[in-house]
Amino acid sequence: MNVWLLRDGEGFTLIDTGMADARTRGLWERIFKDQLGGMPITRLICTHHHPDHMGLSTWLHARFGVRMTATVGEWTYGRLGWLESGEDFLSQASDHYIRFGLRDEPLRLAIAEGNNYRRYVDPIPLDFLRIEGGDRLSVGGREWHVMTFSGHSPEHACLWCPEADVLISGDQVLPKISPTIGVWSNEPEANPLAGFFASLDHLMTLSDSALVLPSHGLPFTGLRQRCKALKAHHDERLKHTLDSCSNPSSGADVMEELFPRMLSGHDLLFAVAETLSHLNYLVAEGCIECSIGKQNIKYKTK
Ligand SMILES: [Zn+2]
């Protein structure tokens, strides 16, 4: 997990926080002592609400008095994710997995995960500073453009500095792995893959010489090529998904084709979410139809 510190006058602007666990707090203590030269963090920007990006926002606020800056979509999702813990959440998630076609042990594992967001975050702050796509931020005398995208999360912020030819990409574009593009139980008919493809189209219009600073893996150049490779990866997964629906199949049947390994609870939730994002994309494109059966939803190539 990478976080980025940008020198900003007599302090630093920090991009993302790391997860709320003892190890990350310990690493931060060392960085505060050894790396910041006694200067404070004067602004905190979170690219999106996932625990490794927003998990320590309250802790950093208490430490430096910096109110978290984020898009309203990400703050809202983070705050809701933190608050969801009741029986209604579990019963709704359980219905979602049953409609998907999970049964027996996989269903038990998925439900047992509960709301795992809460495990890795401090309470998400009650207040925040809003940024929106199109905003310009001045950091260290340079102008950074805020761009917002969906796909990986509802309103993910990337920061683009044309003068420095640097893109802070968060999880929207990663060098080695593909960011999770998932459909979750709160929005079962969402089509995040369409949003992700639109974001790749947009990012491909930026300077190809840009140095990309991702949240996972090493900085890289060749943004256009990486966007094309991510698109090709999903195209291939879409084809595999389509082939899996030649006979009426539940989401769980398709998942077994796409993710043939036995999955632990955490990986299982991500496999369900990724399978559904590909199914919902193909439904929206008119390539497959879905019908609601007695026990679960069935998908079939048109
Ligand atoms: Zn993420």
Side-chain angles (χ1 to χ4, degrees), residues 48 50 52-53 152-153 156 171 216:
H48 64 298
H50 292 162
D52 42 344
H53 301 262
H152 177 66
S153 63
H156 183 299
D171 281 354
H216 307 279

Side-chain angles (χ1 to χ4, degrees), residues 8 14 38 47 52 59 64 68 80 83 133 137 152 154 183 196 214 247 291 293 301:
D8 193 8
L14 168 63
T47 57
D52 42 344
W59 185 71
F64 293 101
M68 174 181 79
L80 283 175
L83 290 171
L137 304 175
H152 177 66
V183 169
F196 185 63
N247 293 314
S291 54
T301 314

Side-chain angles (χ1 to χ4, degrees), residues 142-159:
R142 282 185 167 138
E143 193 174 66
W144 291 77
H145 300 201
V146 178
M147 298 182 296
T148 54
F149 301 113
S150 64
H152 177 66
S153 63
E155 199 184 355
H156 183 299
C158 293
L159 299 173

Side-chain angles (χ1 to χ4, degrees), residues 48-69:
H48 64 298
H49 72 284
H50 292 162
D52 42 344
H53 301 262
M54 201 180 270
L56 283 173
S57 48
T58 292
W59 185 71
L60 288 161
H61 189 179
R63 184 100 182 200
F64 293 101
V66 284
R67 182 166 286 121
M68 174 181 79
T69 298

Side-chain angles (χ1 to χ4, degrees), residues 102-250:
L102 293 189
R103 294 290 179 275
D104 306 323
E105 182 63 3
L107 178 62
R108 194 194 63 74
L109 283 173
I111 295 169
E113 278 296 297
N115 176 4
N116 59 11
Y117 183 76
R118 287 172 64 89
R119 236 171 272 159
Y120 307 108
V121 296
D122 277 350
I124 297 297
L126 284 151
D127 53 6
F128 75 113
L129 296 167
R130 187 192 295 205
I131 44 170
E132 294 180 322
D135 284 353
R136 301 278 198 270
L137 304 175
S138 173
V139 185
R142 282 185 167 138
E143 193 174 66
W144 291 77
H145 300 201
V146 178
M147 298 182 296
T148 54
F149 301 113
S150 64
H152 177 66
S153 63
E155 199 184 355
H156 183 299
C158 293
L159 299 173
W160 162 236
C161 179
E163 188 191 335
D165 207 14
V166 169
L167 172 72
I168 294 178
S169 66
D171 281 354
Q172 197 70 30
V173 178
L174 298 170
K176 288 270 189 271
I177 53 171
S178 67
T180 303
I181 311 298
V183 169
W184 306 96
S185 64
N186 66 323
E187 207 183 347
E189 292 179 47
N191 182 10
L193 202 48
F196 185 63
F197 285 160
S199 80
L200 294 178
D201 287 343
H202 187 92
L203 288 164
M204 276 197 271
T205 66
L206 299 182
S207 150
D208 199 38
S209 58
L211 179 67
V212 183
L213 307 182
S215 291
H216 307 279
L218 294 174
F220 65 98
T221 53
L223 178 61
R224 223 163 279 165
Q225 197 189 0
R226 186 60 194 144
C227 289
K228 279 185 191 157
L230 286 167
K231 174 79 168 58
H233 162 78
H234 285 291
D235 283 345
E236 194 252 317
R237 297 297 268 174
L238 285 167
K239 186 176 177 309
H240 198 164
T241 306
L242 195 58
D243 291 345
S244 308
C245 296
S246 46
N247 293 314
S249 304
S250 72

Side-chain angles (χ1 to χ4, degrees), residues 78-93:
R79 186 76 198 147
L80 283 175
W82 166 252
L83 290 171
E84 293 286 14
S85 61
E87 285 298 315
D88 57 345
F89 172 83
L90 289 178
S91 114
Q92 194 269 353

